[in-house]
Amino acid sequence: MLSQKTIDIIKSTVPVLEVHGTTITTVFYKNLFEAHPELLNIFNHANQKKGRQQHALANTVLAAAKNIDQLESILPVVKQIAQKHRSLAVKPEHYPIVGEYLLAAIKEVLQEAATEEILQAWGDAYGIIAGVFTSIEKEMYDQASEQEGGWADFKSFTVVKKVPESDVITSFYLKPADGAVIPSFLPGQYVTVRIAIPGERYLFNRQYSLSNAAGKDHFRISVKKERQGSSPDGRVSNYLHDSIQVGDSLDLTVPAGHFTIDLEKRTPVVFLAGGVGITPFMSMVHAVADQTPERDVHFIHAADNGKVQPFRGELTDLAQKLVSYQLSFVYKNPDEQDKQLQNYVKDGYIDKELLSLHVKHEADYYICGPVPFMKGLITCLKELGVEPENIHYEFFGPAMAL
């Protein structure tokens, strides 16, 4: 337990963290990787280049400072981060290294303002916070390895099928190389894929949603091919699309993630997907169709056009299972063929007017897509009177503030 004096000191640093938090975390990651380049085998290089990881860590440190006297209030966030840590094979021995360089970054950025008293208080607080993370993550590691079909860290899988879903998205069907059964997973969860790209010094880790239902003898991930060069994400997605073929191997972790659907509920459910944000919803909607087909389901997918939209036939076929099912497509730049599709409802974007036609206040709303897409839809739903606890959303990559 932290002393009241330590708690007071930590809380006194909140205004400074609000101003300098991202600068501190930027310096932290720079110095950390210079001293321990082997950690680049764990961290997502693209999120580093975009600054998303720096912002996410700054938000986490700020939240910890604000709630240092009641850390249980941020436990849901801690568990969300711990899920990602477990899926990336972050281990207890990494925490002292992180603590050392985080305190050094605070000192470097704040200079004289970072008194010995403040650094000691943050050192004590970090020890408590790291202990919470390692305890939660140990439970997650144990659960991952001890469940039927589970394993520790990474395991080799073989690509048994490669299916283009659209002009930009391809699905990879994966089976364990050792022929073992695969563990079950919750609809909406993801796996980490580890790739060694020829010519690259470090390994690449990417987290991809499982896009099929559990209970099969394979996993399916569906990957969007990002534009090479203009987006740092393109390095891995282009390699998967262009170089990985049937028979090749990929290393995977046991499925992880907190963004799942409650299959015990019978309330209506509305899926709001933007682009490749559709992938976690594919496992969710299949699970609903298999387990609670009487549940009222409305699936709305926004895409640039029909050529880049995946799973159109798969979604349409679900009408054979779901008793009450509505499927709507919204295209930003539809062609005449797109406009003839049965489920095409409008061009442009999913907006407040469209949502107002379908809002059911007892429904659960699941949202995934680009950050502006999610921010806009969450704002619209709240303005339409939907309670925040009925709105669920997922970020691809580190969680950002909406």
Side-chain angles (χ1 to χ4, degrees):
M1 297 295 292
L2 297 173
S3 68
Q4 188 59 49
K5 179 181 179 181
T6 298
I7 290 172
D8 292 342
I9 293 172
I10 294 297
K11 282 187 170 290
S12 74
T13 64
V14 167
V16 176
L17 293 174
E18 289 176 333
V19 176
H20 300 288
T22 301
T23 303
I24 290 171
T25 55
T26 300
V27 170
F28 156 72
Y29 279 117
K30 175 180 177 293
N31 294 341
L32 176 70
F33 293 141
E34 286 179 354
H36 293 275
E38 72 278 4
L39 293 178
L40 288 167
N41 289 312
I42 296 177
F43 285 86
N44 185 313
H45 309 172
N47 289 331
Q48 290 291 324
K49 291 177 182 178
K50 287 181 175 180
R52 291 191 65 181
Q53 193 70 55
Q54 294 88 331
H55 284 291
L57 179 59
N59 289 337
T60 302
V61 172
L62 179 60
K66 288 181 175 179
N67 298 278
I68 194 65
D69 54 342
Q70 47 178 359
L71 287 176
E72 66 277 3
S73 67
I74 61 170
L75 198 57
V77 177
V78 171
K79 289 182 176 179
Q80 176 184 345
I81 297 171
Q83 289 271 6
K84 291 186 178 293
H85 284 180
R86 198 278 293 159
S87 75
L88 290 167
V90 172
K91 295 299 178 65
E93 56 264 30
H94 294 132
Y95 280 91
I97 300 172
V98 168
E100 175 187 350
Y101 284 89
L102 185 58
L103 291 177
I106 292 173
K107 178 65 175 176
E108 181 176 338
V109 173
L110 301 185
Q111 300 183 10
E112 292 82 5
T115 64
E116 287 302 318
E117 190 177 48
I118 286 176
L119 291 175
Q120 181 62 51
W122 262 108
D124 293 343
Y126 179 81
I128 296 294
I129 295 167
V132 172
F133 271 101
T134 54
S135 176
I136 292 173
E137 287 163 16
K138 183 181 185 305
E139 293 180 8
M140 292 179 176
Y141 277 112
D142 290 344
Q143 181 183 18
S145 60
E146 293 171 4
Q147 65 181 301
E148 182 181 7
W151 65 90
D153 299 342
F154 287 88
K155 179 175 179 174
S156 180
F157 276 67
T158 302
V159 178
V160 296
K161 188 162 61 170
K162 183 178 177 182
V163 179
E165 305 288 0
S166 75
D167 285 0
V168 295
I169 294 176
T170 293
S171 288
F172 297 82
Y173 291 70
L174 307 163
K175 287 187 177 182
D178 62 5
V181 299
I182 60 172
S184 185
F185 61 89
L186 299 176
Q189 290 191 309
Y190 55 81
V191 292
T192 295
V193 177
R194 184 175 65 184
I195 301 173
I197 298 180
E200 295 287 348
R201 181 178 179 184
Y202 300 107
L203 300 172
F204 289 81
N205 292 312
R206 291 292 186 272
Q207 291 166 330
Y208 295 111
S209 300
L210 292 164
S211 60
N212 60 344
K216 302 182 185 300
D217 64 351
H218 62 271
F219 291 142
R220 184 178 76 173
I221 60 171
S222 303
V223 180
K224 179 185 177 185
K225 184 177 184 180
E226 302 289 353
R227 288 184 308 236
Q228 181 75 314
S230 63
S231 168
D233 287 333
R235 190 72 182 93
V236 174
S237 66
N238 278 268
Y239 182 76
L240 285 170
H241 275 251
D242 298 339
S243 301
I244 295 297
Q245 305 299 333
V246 171
D248 290 340
S249 296
L250 296 172
D251 291 338
L252 271 63
T253 56
V254 170
H258 73 291
F259 183 59
T260 62
I261 188 170
D262 185 350
L263 294 173
E264 298 297 321
K265 297 183 74 172
R266 296 297 186 270
T267 52
V269 58
V270 180
F271 297 108
L272 300 168
V276 75
I278 192 175
T279 53
F281 296 153
M282 295 307 296
S283 66
M284 290 188 189
V285 72
H286 276 295
V288 172
D290 290 340
Q291 299 184 39
T292 55
E294 71 284 356
R295 195 170 180 181
D296 186 358
V297 175
H298 189 183
F299 201 115
I300 306 177
H301 186 212
D304 191 65
N305 55 58
K307 293 183 177 63
V308 300
Q309 181 188 30
F311 309 119
R312 191 162 61 232
E314 193 170 322
L315 287 170
T316 303
D317 290 345
L318 284 170
Q320 300 173 21
K321 288 186 174 182
L322 293 164
V323 175
S324 177
Y325 178 50
Q326 188 173 355
L327 178 61
S328 301
F329 300 145
V330 177
Y331 296 137
K332 181 181 177 182
N333 297 298
D335 60 21
E336 288 306 313
Q337 186 175 359
D338 291 336
K339 293 179 180 181
Q340 302 305 313
L341 292 172
Q342 178 182 354
N343 301 109
Y344 168 79
V345 294
K346 70 185 295 286
D347 58 10
Y349 303 91
I350 303 174
D351 54 21
K352 188 174 179 180
E353 180 181 3
L354 177 63
L355 290 175
S356 67
L357 301 175
H358 306 287
V359 161
K360 298 179 180 180
H361 291 92
E362 73 277 15
D364 282 288
Y365 295 82
Y366 291 83
I367 307 172
C368 189
V371 172
F373 170 88
M374 294 196 296
K375 184 175 182 178
L377 293 190
I378 290 170
T379 299
C380 287
L381 289 173
K382 288 180 178 178
E383 290 176 352
L384 290 169
V386 177
E387 295 296 331
E389 59 265 27
N390 291 342
I391 302 174
H392 319 275
Y393 55 90
E394 169 79 321
F395 290 97
F396 285 166
M400 305 292 286
L402 288 177

